[in-house]
Amino acid sequence: MKKFLSLVLALVMTMSLVTVSAGAKDFSDDDSITYQEAVDVISEIGVVDGYTGGDFKPTDVLTRGAAAKIICNLILGPTTASALSASSAPFKDVPVSNTFAGYITYCAQEKIINGYSDGTFRPTATLSGNAFMKMLLGALGYDGDVEGYTGPNWSVAVIKQAAGIGLDDGNDEFVGSKAVTREEAALYAFNMLQATMVEYDAKTSVDINGATVTIAGDKAKEIENTSRTDGYIDDDNKMQFAERYFTDLRLTTDTTDDFGRPANTWRFKGVEVGTFAKTADATYTADVKLGQIYSDLGMSDKDEAAPVFVDGVEASESAKVSKGNDLKVSELKFTNSPAANCNVGNGTLVEAYLDEDTNDVTIVAINTYVAEVNKVVAETNSKDAYITLSELAAENGATSGLRANDEFETTGFENDQIVLFTYANNEIQSVKAAESAEGTLTRKVSGKSINLGETKYDFSKMYSVDGGESSLGIDSEYVVYLDANGYAIYVEETEYNIADYAYLRALQGSSVAFASDKAALITYDGKMKTVDTKEDYTNDFAGYGSELQIGNANSEIVLVKETSNGEYRLKDLDTKNPSIAKAEDSFELRNGVARINLTATGVAGNGTQGTDYIYADSKTVFVVGTYDSGVGEDWKDATYRAYTGINNAPTIVDDNDSSAATNAIGMSYYCRNNGVATIVYLSVDEADYKVTGGNNDVIFFAFESGSKKIEDSDNEYYTYNAVVDGKIVEGVKVDASVKINNRTSNGSFSSNVVFTGADYDDGVITGLDSLSNSGTVTGINKVNNENVVLGYGSGSESTYVVADDAKIFFIDDDGTITEGAVSNIRRSDEDVVTYVLEDGQISYLFVQQYFEDNDQSSSGGRQELTSITGATYANPNLTLTLNGTNAGQNYKVTLKMIVAGVTTELGTYTVTGATGATSTTAVLSVGTLASIAASGGIYMVSCGGQNATFTA
């Protein structure tokens, strides 16, 4: 028997969370499909299709015409059914041109369907569950006249028969008078595949008083199957519908899924459609006594040794499912060494399966865990879209086993989104967005529950609290994220401001030199700052008699809040100060890799989270202080730079000189959620460690959008359209005094440029670093979705692979920036391309496009150079003449070196067309050029499709 417990809605949500399929069609609205196994199988064999947009639309109602098509696809197969046509209108409202005319004609001829008494069929009308069941019964061989599917009470006979053979299995809320939805139709057709066909020995129609009456020689009997197809669906010597009409379909019923649940595996034409858990005989969403399971399964005899699986792993102790047994699933031993019980509690989906033939019980427990989306990668030609996750550590210390490189193919999620996931067999099994609620914390019971306002939320077994449960403060505002059963699985403050975090360098009380209470800080953005404090904190923070290096055992990261009178209040945080060994390979931070290794064990890929490694995400702030003891510096001389997000963090590794470091890395960090670092401070001696990369925002400026110098009471600056860390931003302010590459002394850019390492002061960029892994070329020759050929012309082209998550932007002549895709890039010998490389692949591509009536200048007019002449070099100057110039137009001249067929771009220069002349002679300062003539090398200058060569 099947016993279903009370939390029906919660159960449906949970079941949708953990459905497993492999190889089935993916619909964009899979999360909305209740009958996943039915839809996957029926769509795979072509009986019910999805839509061209990639969705299935499970709740759309079925029309009578579409139902006729399903029946034909079932009986004839999709290929044969698609060729059906009607030579004449089968019903007066179904012309031969109707999409469903052929299907309706066939079903009418086979007496599977009937029209209405007025001669119509009404193909666009909805179809009731009763009517669809009648069609399916007809296809199985049931005779409507014999079985009483006629007259005013026809539906009673239909539903009695349909339910008797299981056509409505899986839908406990079947209402025959309601219109059938697409997924319900798929479910009933799926059940029909497994139903046994029938036939009749004899039947005779006689006329009694003018009425035709059918007299059956006997009732419908099941058709025997003595052919090779017996066992394709059920090995019972009976002919299941699929064993006659879908002989390429196979069902295996004695398998298990990754969680250990009894399951069905479907294959079609030798390819697995999916493995689907069977419906449990008893279901719970919390811990449960074994005696309760015994009762709910309706058992009359105990099972002494029922296997128990937790997240797909079998527990070392089996369960005694017997009457009155008060032992809970959570009290069973999961492992003997180390000794640990089964991780089961609130929010755990516990399912019990009973084999009534053997009286064997299987118990399966599936935990729901909580995580942040760490990375979102779009679909490419070679790979489906996927995400990676960072698990938020549970307060009880339990983890799912999730690995940093585990991928889950899906769409519709965003970076840092809080999600629920299940995990088994070293794979993410499901991911679902977490629902949330907000409010004021009014009550908390440690390890049990919290109240937001008047609403109580019991904790899930795997609950996590941002900052640790002890940090929860009454009357503070929080967001609680809920699992599918309404348990609180993650709690965080509604707001926190990273700008309030700082490393405490030193403290001073009013009794000494400062003559007031002060704190010396390194702020979240890497700046040194000294503030007046609200009180003398020297007694509150141990070890601060002098300035402390980052990573000292007493070091503190603090929360700094300014009071109304301008003084500051300090709050200590749960700062971690790992002791980093000086030995080689004892520390590893890599750009774009969420795991930060703190020990040699961690670097080797092993160890324990929190001891050997921690995690970072896209919101983690890194403040890195670097100094060089090789030139006499120590940690007090460090220069600090801040980076936001692991994808912008620098790579910091040993210098691989096979000797221990002189000065070990100093590290202090704080995790608000016990698992992912919120802020990390590092003190690094560059004599011992390599510090490379660290994009700290890729910033691209469209020089055509530059404003004139703006002056206000605080600053002098220029504004630009820009791309900042992948987002288009208008009006980015750049201080006029900044001196960087590709900037003139008057503060304006002379070309499109890309930088990193922006320093800000009151929203104005006051410093930028060159981005070493970037470049600019003229021309694009070939493009596909995975790579581009940059440059144009013999010897000047280079092929680059475009990363899956690359950002592509286009810039017009006015400096307006739009985002696009690789497919939007055109072949051009004039477009100027600025690119950024990451791991040798293009991560950013900025394409300055030029069109028929525009050129590469800000003054308008079509560039039509005729030649470049007079190219001569005299260290450090290159002199050349551009012929065919227009007054005031800016021309981009690219200098290249070609040796042994390899072209290297050396720089790009701007030449402005001379006034009153059609030729412009320019002297460019290009620095010292090596003599390469002896090795067959030459130098080339290019502009507007024209080239000239010279030697140095």
Side-chain angles (χ1 to χ4, degrees):
M1 65 177 288
K2 301 259 170 93
K3 178 157 181 128
F4 297 92
L5 305 182
S6 58
L7 292 173
V8 176
L9 177 59
L11 174 59
V12 170
M13 293 173 66
T14 308
M15 290 294 287
S16 70
L17 180 68
V18 296
T19 296
V20 177
S21 62
K25 290 183 179 179
D26 290 323
F27 295 109
S28 60
D29 52 359
D30 265 345
D31 285 346
S32 302
I33 297 174
T34 302
Y35 310 120
Q36 193 74 57
E37 180 178 4
V39 170
D40 283 357
V41 173
I42 287 296
S43 63
E44 185 67 27
I45 64 177
V47 171
V48 181
D49 297 323
Y51 290 87
T52 56
D55 51 354
F56 185 77
K57 300 182 181 179
T59 59
D60 280 10
V61 295
L62 192 70
T63 65
R64 287 169 56 80
K69 179 180 178 180
I70 290 174
I71 297 299
C72 291
N73 284 340
L74 284 166
I75 296 175
L76 302 175
T79 301
T80 302
S82 64
L84 290 173
S85 62
S87 57
S88 60
F91 296 93
K92 67 182 184 181
D93 60 345
V94 184
V96 294
S97 59
N98 185 284
T99 302
F100 299 109
Y103 305 116
I104 294 169
T105 298
Y106 177 84
C107 289
Q109 290 172 346
E110 296 297 314
K111 298 184 179 179
I112 297 171
I113 62 174
N114 298 311
Y116 291 88
S117 59
D118 62 358
T120 63
F121 182 75
R122 305 173 194 174
T124 60
T126 59
L127 189 76
S128 71
N130 294 333
F132 189 58
M133 289 296 191
K134 181 180 178 182
M135 290 182 177
L136 297 178
L137 290 169
L140 284 168
Y142 288 95
D143 189 295
D145 294 331
V146 173
E147 304 295 340
Y149 302 163
T150 57
N153 295 318
W154 67 271
S155 61
V156 175
V158 165
I159 295 311
K160 181 179 179 180
Q161 186 71 68
I165 63 172
L167 291 188
D168 64 344
D169 280 0
N171 182 6
D172 296 328
E173 299 178 358
F174 176 80
V175 178
S177 59
K178 290 177 60 176
V180 176
T181 65
R182 282 172 49 80
E183 70 169 349
E184 288 172 342
L187 174 66
Y188 306 149
F190 170 74
N191 291 335
M192 176 190 173
L193 292 175
Q194 303 165 78
T196 300
M197 301 190 68
V198 299
E199 61 185 358
Y200 298 85
D201 281 341
K203 58 181 179 178
T204 305
S205 295
V206 298
D207 186 285
I208 300 177
N209 298 325
T212 300
V213 177
T214 299
I215 301 174
D218 57 10
K219 293 184 178 180
K221 68 175 185 178
E222 295 177 330
I223 298 176
E224 293 185 0
N225 186 1
T226 58
S227 72
R228 61 179 178 83
T229 68
D230 186 45
Y232 284 6
I233 301 299
D234 192 353
D235 188 11
D236 61 353
N237 295 319
K238 303 292 177 61
M239 180 66 74
Q240 279 72 50
F241 186 89
E243 290 177 347
R244 171 170 288 181
Y245 292 110
F246 288 90
T247 56
D248 288 326
L249 186 64
R250 304 285 193 278
L251 169 62
T252 304
T253 60
D254 58 353
T255 59
T256 59
D257 69 0
D258 285 341
F259 290 112
R261 297 180 294 187
N264 296 325
T265 296
W266 290 90
R267 290 179 174 82
F268 185 59
K269 295 183 177 179
V271 178
E272 184 175 334
V273 177
T275 296
F276 305 89
K278 295 179 181 178
T279 301
D281 297 299
T283 302
Y284 313 84
T285 57
D287 200 7
V288 60
K289 294 179 180 179
L290 299 178
Q292 185 67 52
I293 294 176
Y294 177 90
S295 174
D296 291 336
L297 292 178
M299 299 173 68
S300 57
D301 192 14
K302 63 187 175 182
D303 182 351
E304 291 276 4
V308 178
F309 295 86
V310 180
D311 294 332
V313 179
E314 186 171 1
S316 60
E317 182 182 3
S318 58
K320 181 178 180 180
V321 183
S322 59
K323 185 176 182 179
N325 190 345
D326 287 335
L327 193 70
K328 292 184 176 181
V329 176
S330 65
E331 295 172 316
L332 297 170
K333 281 189 174 59
F334 184 64
T335 55
N336 292 318
S337 181
N341 288 349
C342 292
N343 229 336
V344 174
N346 288 350
T348 305
L349 175 65
V350 180
E351 297 181 330
Y353 297 82
L354 174 64
D355 186 329
E356 294 183 343
D357 294 331
T358 62
N359 199 50
D360 290 334
V361 176
T362 300
I363 299 173
V364 178
I366 302 171
N367 284 300
T368 296
Y369 300 89
V370 64
E372 272 188 331
V373 176
N374 182 52
K375 187 177 183 181
V376 177
V377 180
E379 180 184 9
T380 66
N381 282 349
S382 58
K383 193 169 185 177
D384 290 334
Y386 68 89
I387 61 175
T388 61
L389 304 176
S390 291
E391 185 171 352
L392 300 175
E395 289 287 311
N396 64 11
T399 62
S400 66
L402 177 73
R403 299 165 298 185
N405 61 347
D406 283 330
E407 299 174 357
F408 185 75
E409 293 182 357
T410 188
T411 58
F413 291 93
E414 300 177 351
N415 279 324
D416 302 327
Q417 184 175 358
I418 303 298
V419 297
L420 311 174
F421 74 98
T422 57
Y423 197 84
N425 194 28
N426 292 320
E427 291 183 354
I428 301 170
Q429 298 292 329
S430 67
V431 178
K432 187 178 182 67
E435 301 291 335
S436 65
E438 296 186 22
T440 303
L441 183 65
T442 56
R443 186 172 184 266
K444 62 177 181 177
V445 180
S446 180
K448 297 291 185 181
S449 64
I450 59 171
N451 283 54
L452 297 186
E454 298 296 320
T455 305
K456 178 184 176 183
Y457 298 96
D458 290 325
F459 283 133
S460 160
K461 175 70 173 179
M462 300 303 174
Y463 78 99
S464 173
V465 178
D466 192 1
E469 189 175 357
S470 61
S471 70
L472 294 174
I474 300 297
D475 295 331
S476 295
E477 300 294 315
Y478 290 93
V479 180
V480 57
Y481 292 88
L482 308 174
D483 70 8
N485 307 297
Y487 292 110
I489 195 167
Y490 181 56
V491 184
E492 66 176 353
E493 287 186 74
T494 53
E495 292 184 13
Y496 83 96
N497 188 349
I498 192 63
D500 293 335
Y501 291 90
Y503 174 77
L504 182 60
R505 292 173 48 230
L507 283 170
Q508 193 72 66
S510 57
S511 60
V512 289
F514 283 134
S516 63
D517 300 323
K518 290 185 180 291
L521 309 170
I522 304 173
T523 60
Y524 79 102
D525 54 357
K527 292 182 171 55
M528 299 290 190
K529 184 176 182 180
T530 300
V531 299
D532 293 318
T533 58
K534 186 175 182 292
E535 59 185 271
D536 184 349
Y537 286 101
T538 54
N539 293 324
D540 297 325
F541 295 93
Y544 271 90
S546 59
E547 182 177 355
L548 293 188
Q549 182 183 9
I550 292 168
N552 184 284
N554 293 315
S555 291
E556 293 281 358
I557 297 172
V558 294
L559 196 64
V560 184
K561 292 286 189 179
E562 186 175 7
T563 62
S564 58
N565 63 358
E567 295 178 328
Y568 287 81
R569 184 176 69 252
L570 306 183
K571 178 184 177 182
D572 66 312
L573 300 172
D574 186 18
T575 305
K576 306 297 183 184
N577 299 298
S579 178
I580 308 298
K582 294 181 180 180
E584 285 279 298
D585 297 324
S586 296
F587 181 86
E588 183 181 48
L589 166 62
R590 293 192 180 275
N591 173 269
V593 179
R595 175 166 158 156
I596 305 171
N597 294 306
L598 312 179
T599 65
T601 301
V603 172
N606 303 312
T608 304
Q609 184 175 350
T611 301
D612 300 293
Y613 60 89
I614 61 171
Y615 286 108
D617 63 15
S618 63
K619 293 188 290 189
T620 302
V621 170
F622 297 84
V623 182
V624 182
T626 56
Y627 63 96
D628 189 347
S629 63
V631 295
E633 295 178 342
D634 65 16
W635 59 269
K636 293 183 180 180
D637 301 311
T639 300
Y640 291 90
R641 171 57 56 79
Y643 308 83
T644 299
I646 190 62
N647 290 329
N648 295 318
T651 293
I652 303 176
V653 293
D654 284 319
D655 56 8
N656 291 323
D657 61 359
S658 300
S659 61
T662 302
N663 296 302
I665 283 179
M667 179 177 181
S668 299
Y669 69 91
Y670 168 62
C671 296
R672 294 181 71 240
N673 60 19
N674 285 338
V676 178
T678 303
I679 189 165
V680 178
Y681 284 88
L682 293 163
S683 176
V684 185
D685 185 353
E686 291 187 289
D688 295 312
Y689 299 90
K690 290 182 180 180
V691 183
T692 56
N695 286 346
N696 186 30
D697 297 346
V698 170
I699 306 178
F700 169 86
F701 296 97
F703 86 101
E704 299 280 12
S705 67
S707 69
K708 293 183 178 181
K709 186 189 293 185
I710 300 171
E711 298 182 29
D712 58 28
S713 58
D714 298 317
N715 301 287
E716 294 182 1
Y717 57 86
Y718 295 81
T719 64
Y720 295 90
N721 293 338
V723 175
V724 181
D725 198 25
K727 296 180 174 61
I728 299 171
V729 182
E730 296 181 356
V732 174
K733 299 176 182 179
V734 181
D735 192 276
S737 65
V738 175
K739 300 293 193 297
I740 52 178
N741 294 340
N742 292 328
R743 282 181 66 88
T744 62
S745 59
N746 66 3
S748 63
F749 293 117
S750 57
S751 65
N752 290 339
V753 282
V754 63
F755 296 102
T756 186
D759 295 322
Y760 291 87
D761 187 3
D762 291 332
V764 178
I765 292 177
T766 57
L768 289 164
D769 293 336
S770 297
L771 194 59
S772 58
N773 55 331
S774 64
T776 300
V777 298
T778 300
I780 303 176
N781 197 353
K782 295 180 181 178
V783 179
N784 61 40
N785 284 337
E786 296 181 1
N787 57 65
V788 296
V789 177
L790 302 183
Y792 201 100
S794 176
S796 64
E797 299 176 351
S798 299
T799 300
Y800 294 93
V801 175
V802 180
D804 290 343
D805 55 353
K807 296 280 190 176
I808 313 296
F809 297 91
F810 299 90
I811 303 91
D812 67 14
D813 297 286
D814 297 322
T816 301
I817 305 173
T818 56
E819 188 169 3
V822 175
S823 58
N824 302 131
I825 300 173
R826 64 177 186 172
R827 185 180 183 188
S828 169
D829 63 351
E830 292 185 327
D831 291 351
V832 177
V833 183
T834 302
Y835 60 88
V836 177
L837 299 178
E838 185 175 332
D839 296 329
Q841 298 184 350
I842 287 177
S843 58
Y844 284 88
L845 203 62
F846 306 94
V847 183
Q848 176 75 60
Q849 294 187 316
Y850 297 104
F851 297 95
E852 181 70 21
D853 296 324
N854 298 289
D855 69 41
Q856 303 174 25
S857 76
S858 58
S859 56
R862 170 68 175 162
Q863 173 181 248
E864 295 181 356
L865 283 185
T866 57
S867 63
I868 304 174
T869 57
T872 57
Y873 171 74
N875 191 10
N877 296 324
L878 170 64
T879 303
L880 53 80
T881 299
L882 303 181
N883 301 303
T885 58
N886 298 306
Q889 291 186 12
N890 289 333
Y891 295 84
K892 304 303 176 294
V893 177
T894 303
L895 173 61
K896 308 168 186 175
M897 177 177 68
I898 305 174
V899 179
V902 178
T903 299
T904 303
E905 187 172 312
L906 302 179
T908 301
Y909 305 86
T910 301
V911 175
T912 303
T915 302
T918 58
S919 294
T920 301
T921 299
V923 178
L924 309 177
S925 179
V926 297
T928 302
L929 300 180
S931 177
I932 56 175
S935 57
I938 61 170
Y939 290 97
M940 175 184 289
V941 286
S942 303
C943 182
Q946 304 299 320
N947 301 305
T949 59
F950 65 94
T951 58

